[in-house]
Amino acid sequence: MRLFLVFAILWGLFYNVAYGKGSLDIDMKLKALNKPALKTIKSEDGDIIDCIDIYKQHAFDHPALRNHKIQMKPSIEFGTKKTTIPNNGSSELITSQIWSKSGNCPKGTIPVRRVSREDISRASSPSHFGRKTPHRYSFLDKALQHKGNFNITAEKITHARPKLRSEAVLIALGFNFIGAQSDINVWNPPRVQASDYSSAQIWLLGGLSDTFESIEAGWAVNPRVFGDSRTRLFTYWTKDGYTKTGCVNLLCAGFVQTTTKLALGAAIEPVSTTSQKQHYITVSMFLDPNSGNWWLTCAKNVIGYWPGTLFTYLKHSATAVQWGGEVHSPNVGKKPHTRTSMGSGQWASYLWAQACYHTNIRIKDYSMQIKYPTYLSEYADEYDCYSTKLHRKTYMSEPHFYFGGPGQNSRCP
């Protein structure tokens, strides 16, 4: 009997350590992420959108933003310099999300997708929920040394195969990028595995290779974070190469949202289908020179900004811009390779209405001119798994950067 009691006590201690603390951590995370709602909207796709007080949003939990004064709109606009989408109007801009069919958030609030206990439980730990794994962009150091004038493709190829992530991108290097934009073709990539994600996005990068700073936006399919395979609007930021800072959307303190129209992490529809009408979102990120904040616009809406106080290098400008896609998986660079696809799931060479693309690719620098980048390099970490193609239909037509692929296939076993 005494032995049984000892065993029971030990088992109770083990259970509390192994499960009780984990449950408590999840409770604390849920409380931090799900702020009190002034209004709740139940979306037809199953999401719950909470309208929370704009002055009590997640950003202000950040120590550097405790006394931050919200900037309600940028002091300047990114502007636009776009050509007409070709193919006889067979492209359509997406300007809203599914949840907005069920209601609107009132002025003075922001729409926030509610996080569930199951969402956090899928992460390796509550502290890792919605966060990328550490990464290195070796070309950033060389860009600083050579002032952006070197062969980035050759530079990247000399390094080892990627770990955990595979990119297929178009890259511009410089010293004073203060904005970037593109029209991003929206798809729902097939076969995204439960532990993976697949994105189409823009990156603005600055700083050193190991501790780079980044702001990112586009669309992603991320079952681990969202629990499904829907295509969703997303943002990301880091100031230390994804090591300890930053997160997706509003899953940590940092990004300041100002719009009532769009919810980060909410689903985007309709998506493109092969040989049918193509759907896209226009994404712009630009530095407000008067406040030092990096503003994000999408689907004709100013969404919000990353405060300049979050960063060191990006306070002034970005060193590199990337347009393209990314697959994150524990089975990247391995055999068998992940089956998670990128973009539409088709090769870049399939082109219009089959492969995913960025077009109306633009940058802004301290000349304050919006322009097509002078020097661009294409690069794919695993060209037999995910490919790239910068294509111009005619000499005078707007270039399209096609990217993506199926993941595992006969060339990428």
Side-chain angles (χ1 to χ4, degrees):
M1 184 66 178
R2 185 177 297 173
L3 185 62
F4 174 79
L5 287 173
V6 170
F7 176 79
I9 291 169
L10 290 174
W11 171 251
L13 289 171
F14 169 78
Y15 184 88
N16 285 330
V17 170
Y19 299 100
K21 186 177 185 303
S23 180
L24 181 62
D25 288 345
I26 291 175
D27 289 340
M28 292 175 64
K29 191 76 170 179
L30 280 170
K31 186 176 180 180
L33 293 178
N34 293 328
K35 305 288 187 182
L38 301 179
K39 178 182 178 180
T40 294
I41 299 169
K42 294 183 178 180
S43 176
E44 64 184 45
D45 64 358
D47 278 354
I48 297 176
I49 303 297
D50 289 324
C51 304
I52 68 169
D53 188 330
I54 190 171
Y55 295 101
K56 296 179 180 178
Q57 63 178 290
H58 310 74
F60 304 123
D61 294 336
H62 196 289
L65 302 177
R66 292 282 163 80
N67 298 312
H68 181 80
K69 184 178 179 180
I70 293 182
Q71 183 181 0
M72 295 306 295
K73 60 181 181 179
S75 65
I76 62 167
E77 293 184 0
F78 183 89
T80 184
K81 188 176 181 181
K82 297 174 64 171
T83 58
T84 304
I85 297 289
N87 298 286
N88 301 318
S90 58
S91 286
E92 184 176 3
L93 175 66
I94 299 171
T95 58
S96 62
Q97 293 173 302
I98 298 170
W99 69 269
S100 61
K101 298 176 185 177
S102 304
N104 300 299
C105 281
K107 187 177 180 181
T109 69
I110 60 167
V112 179
R113 180 186 178 273
R114 186 182 296 180
V115 175
S116 70
R117 175 175 291 275
E118 290 73 26
D119 290 339
I120 299 175
S121 297
R122 286 188 297 272
S124 57
S125 72
S127 63
H128 287 91
F129 177 55
R131 291 181 52 194
K132 295 188 180 186
T133 54
H135 190 49
R136 173 183 170 83
Y137 283 111
S138 58
F139 64 84
L140 288 174
D141 291 346
K142 291 294 181 75
L144 289 173
Q145 293 171 20
H146 297 275
K147 297 185 178 181
N149 184 24
F150 78 105
N151 187 329
I152 189 169
T153 303
E155 167 66 18
K156 292 193 78 170
I157 286 173
T158 60
H159 287 271
R161 289 174 65 83
K163 292 183 178 180
L164 298 178
R165 58 173 52 75
S166 189
E167 295 177 355
V169 292
L170 187 67
I171 309 171
L173 292 174
F175 263 94
N176 60 351
F177 295 126
I178 58 170
Q181 75 172 24
S182 73
D183 295 336
I184 309 177
N185 192 199
V186 177
W187 289 80
N188 184 246
R191 302 181 307 281
V192 177
Q193 305 298 295
S195 59
D196 300 356
Y197 70 73
S198 182
S199 70
Q201 62 178 96
I202 306 174
W203 297 253
L204 279 137
L205 301 161
L208 303 174
S209 296
D210 291 314
T211 56
F212 64 87
E213 299 176 351
S214 178
I215 55 174
E216 308 168 20
W219 60 257
V221 173
N222 193 333
R224 174 162 282 190
V225 170
F226 300 110
D228 61 24
S229 295
R230 290 185 179 275
T231 300
R232 296 174 178 272
L233 179 66
F234 91 99
T235 63
Y236 203 96
W237 72 274
T238 182
K239 66 168 294 180
D240 60 0
Y242 310 134
T243 303
K244 293 182 179 179
T245 63
C247 62
V248 67
N249 303 334
L250 303 179
L251 298 183
C252 67
F255 186 83
V256 178
Q257 184 167 327
T258 57
T259 187
T260 61
K261 304 292 186 184
L262 297 176
L264 297 175
I268 303 171
E269 280 189 358
V271 297
S272 303
T273 53
T274 302
S275 302
Q276 301 295 320
K277 179 176 281 190
Q278 298 300 291
H279 300 276
Y280 67 95
I281 54 174
T282 299
V283 174
S284 305
M285 294 181 279
F286 61 95
L287 181 66
D288 185 330
N290 297 309
S291 66
N293 299 325
W294 283 93
W295 283 88
L296 169 67
T297 68
C298 179
K300 295 185 176 181
N301 288 282
V302 177
I303 294 180
Y305 60 91
W306 294 274
T309 50
L310 294 175
F311 306 108
T312 301
Y313 295 95
L314 286 180
K315 273 184 180 178
H316 311 290
S317 63
T319 309
V321 183
Q322 291 191 157
W323 297 263
E326 176 180 78
V327 165
H328 187 284
S329 172
N331 296 310
V332 160
K334 295 181 180 179
K335 292 183 180 180
H337 193 277
T338 180
R339 298 178 66 245
T340 293
S341 63
M342 181 192 295
S344 69
Q346 296 284 17
W347 299 108
S349 59
Y350 283 40
L351 302 181
W352 176 262
Q354 295 195 66
C356 191
Y357 64 80
H358 288 257
T359 193
N360 284 308
I361 293 163
R362 299 290 186 269
I363 56 95
K364 192 175 190 178
D365 58 24
Y366 275 110
S367 72
M368 305 307 288
Q369 300 297 309
I370 301 165
K371 50 194 174 185
Y372 186 77
T374 305
Y375 302 107
L376 288 167
S377 300
E378 297 176 59
Y379 181 77
D381 282 310
E382 302 175 293
Y383 208 83
D384 288 332
C385 312
Y386 313 107
S387 61
T388 68
K389 187 176 182 64
L390 185 59
H391 177 75
R392 199 186 290 261
K393 191 173 182 181
T394 66
Y395 177 74
M396 295 298 292
S397 64
E398 178 71 28
H400 283 58
F401 174 65
Y402 294 97
F403 66 95
Q408 186 185 95
N409 65 89
S410 59
R411 290 158 41 192
C412 175

